[in-house]
Amino acid sequence: MTSHLFNMVKAIVGVGVLSLPAGIAAFGDAPSAAVPAAILIASIGSIAAYNFSLLGRLCAITGATSYKGAWEKTVGASTSWIPGSSCCIKTFFAVLAYSMVLGDTFAALFETIGLSVSREKALVGLTLTVLLPLCKLKDLSSLAPFSLAGIAGMLYTAVAMAIRFFDGSYSDPTSGFAADVAESLRPAIGTKGASAVFSSNAFILICMLSTAYMAHFNAPKFYLDLENNTIARWNTCVATSFSISILFFIGIAAMGFSTFGGACNGFILNNYSTKDSLMGFSRVAVAFALVFTYPLAFVGCRDGTLEMMQVPKEERTDAKLNNLTYLILGAVTAVALKITDLSFIMSFGGATLGNALIYVYPAIMFRSAVKNMGDDATTAQKLEVYLAMAFAAIGIGMGCIGAKQALGKL
């Protein structure tokens, strides 16, 4: 189970965690704001874990092998395009976030070695010379081991951020490393503390978490891959992996926010000086991990697009795959050049598709599954439908408010 737990944590903890400090900064700028933020991170993570577990149990009930397949076996095949297209578009958002982070990261790395390269030039150059050839690969199995670098890079980043917080390297906005960054990125500690969480802007963090915890379209795969996948073992695996992820999220969010307060950038590494070698290594680790995991996410988006277009597998020629690769990668890069705020992508994507995939669709599927079971459904399952639908209603409410707040930040 250990390797399975590691893979699940790796799937949950992605680059989105580096935007969470900005989610706290959306409503607060005093250190005490991190306390209710930690409670929100743990609460949303617990609900996300419940629905992740629910998806595995749906597979056990119906025999489904995928998210879309679970919908087909419960709600019906005629509407299976709804979760299918949602997964595809959500993957597009993930690839977009990767491109945005890579543009920022490589521009900062160039500055570290004394070269002045704009974010736009860095992203376009990287896309043409590295990402495009990787995304055109027909066999990505050789890239899978590099995904392990992702969690290692995030772990190093968390430790480095903690070191910089406790050693006070950025405590004075006018000296040290803090003086090397733009004024808008320097620490800005104010007076909006724990009580600021009651502001509607807190929904920005809540919806960002719906993106950060998003791994639910892979829940069926993780359930099926689990050795001796009894419901008890499955629930233990889900609870453990999400608990680890929750602690990781709280650590990154709290350290970044406590260091920079209201000045937290949508990609927290942008707040750190390019002359800070400790954080420089973090940028290298994140960049290395993203470059080699980028094609894995990209292929999910491309294949999902082909599924939406109902292109049979036998008609997916190399020429068609390459043309679609050019089209999608071009669109992703164009949007990444235009939008620079990662926190917007995280919050808006979470408010819309994230909430649907985590809270709404699993509840709808579970209700249909229990209804289809008729008298075979247990009393506990019938009562659980109300819990699942309550979480769905909460997800819809959070999504509506969060989307409005995210758009208001543009």
Side-chain angles (χ1 to χ4, degrees):
M1 185 184 287
T2 303
S3 62
H4 203 71
L5 280 173
F6 180 83
N7 287 331
M8 286 181 66
V9 172
K10 184 178 66 177
I12 299 166
V13 179
V15 70
V17 67
L18 297 177
S19 70
L20 294 184
I24 307 177
F27 66 86
D29 56 16
S32 61
V35 176
I39 295 173
L40 284 175
I41 292 171
S43 300
I44 299 299
S46 298
I47 298 174
Y50 165 77
N51 281 289
F52 197 94
S53 168
L54 185 61
L55 286 165
R57 289 188 285 132
L58 277 168
C59 291
I61 293 171
T62 64
T65 59
S66 67
Y67 196 108
K68 183 181 177 182
W71 182 283
E72 291 176 345
K73 288 179 177 292
T74 54
V75 181
S78 62
T79 55
S80 63
W81 62 270
I82 297 175
S85 59
S86 297
C87 288
C88 178
I89 298 171
K90 193 69 181 73
T91 308
F92 178 89
F93 274 97
V95 176
L96 174 59
Y98 279 19
S99 285
M100 293 170 67
V101 170
L102 286 171
D104 288 341
T105 302
F106 273 86
L109 289 175
F110 279 124
E111 186 176 345
T112 300
I113 60 176
L115 296 176
S116 179
V117 179
S118 68
R119 174 184 181 276
E120 291 75 16
K121 290 181 180 178
L123 178 57
V124 171
L126 180 70
T127 300
L128 292 175
T129 60
V130 179
L131 299 181
L132 178 58
L134 287 175
C135 290
K136 289 175 65 177
L137 290 175
K138 300 302 179 287
D139 182 8
L140 299 179
S141 59
S142 60
L143 299 180
F146 290 103
S147 63
L148 299 177
I151 193 66
M154 291 301 172
L155 182 60
Y156 173 85
T157 298
V159 172
M161 290 173 66
I163 291 173
R164 284 296 178 248
F165 169 70
F166 288 110
D167 70 11
S169 295
Y170 291 84
S171 58
D172 185 352
T174 62
S175 64
F177 288 131
D180 294 327
V181 300
E183 189 172 350
S184 62
L185 297 175
R186 295 174 186 175
I189 307 299
T191 59
K192 293 186 291 184
S195 61
V197 74
F198 296 107
S199 162
S200 59
N201 284 336
F203 282 92
I204 292 178
L205 172 62
I206 291 171
C207 290
M208 289 171 71
L209 290 168
S210 293
T211 296
Y213 284 118
M214 171 49 62
H216 291 60
F217 43 79
N218 285 323
K221 179 180 184 300
F222 280 115
Y223 170 74
L224 294 171
D225 289 346
L226 177 64
E227 186 177 352
N228 185 24
N229 58 350
T230 62
I231 297 302
R233 275 177 60 83
W234 169 243
N235 286 337
T236 298
C237 197
V238 172
T240 305
S241 59
F242 270 85
S243 295
I244 294 171
S245 301
I246 287 169
L247 292 175
F248 206 93
F249 283 16
I250 290 174
I252 290 276
M255 289 299 98
F257 174 74
S258 298
T259 303
F260 296 100
C264 290
N265 185 264
F267 178 52
I268 192 61
L269 294 187
N270 285 343
N271 285 95
Y272 294 91
S273 170
T274 55
K275 296 179 182 179
D276 185 346
S277 58
L278 184 70
M279 301 310 299
F281 282 117
S282 179
R283 289 188 176 98
V284 171
V286 170
F288 180 83
L290 286 186
V291 164
F292 288 103
T293 55
Y294 191 104
L296 300 173
F298 181 87
V299 166
C301 179
R302 187 184 65 192
D303 290 352
T305 302
L306 291 169
E307 290 289 339
M308 287 173 57
M309 296 168 62
Q310 298 183 336
V311 178
K313 291 187 177 181
E314 58 272 15
E315 294 182 15
R316 299 179 188 181
T317 63
D318 288 350
K320 284 185 178 179
L321 291 175
N322 287 340
N323 288 335
L324 189 56
T325 295
Y326 299 140
L327 182 63
I328 296 175
L329 193 57
V332 167
T333 305
V335 176
L337 290 172
K338 184 69 174 178
I339 300 176
T340 60
D341 186 1
L342 179 63
S343 62
F344 168 74
I345 296 298
M346 293 288 294
S347 58
F348 185 74
T352 52
L353 298 171
N355 281 344
L357 289 164
I358 291 178
Y359 308 114
V360 182
Y361 297 163
I364 293 173
M365 287 188 280
F366 185 64
R367 183 182 64 176
S368 296
V370 172
K371 181 180 179 181
N372 294 339
M373 291 169 70
D375 293 336
D376 291 333
T378 65
T379 301
Q381 287 173 325
K382 292 176 181 178
L383 290 175
E384 190 179 358
V385 169
Y386 293 103
L387 176 64
M389 294 306 295
F391 285 147
I394 291 172
I396 293 172
M398 292 190 305
C400 292
I401 299 174
K404 179 183 177 181
Q405 294 301 115
L407 290 171
K409 285 285 186 178
L410 284 179

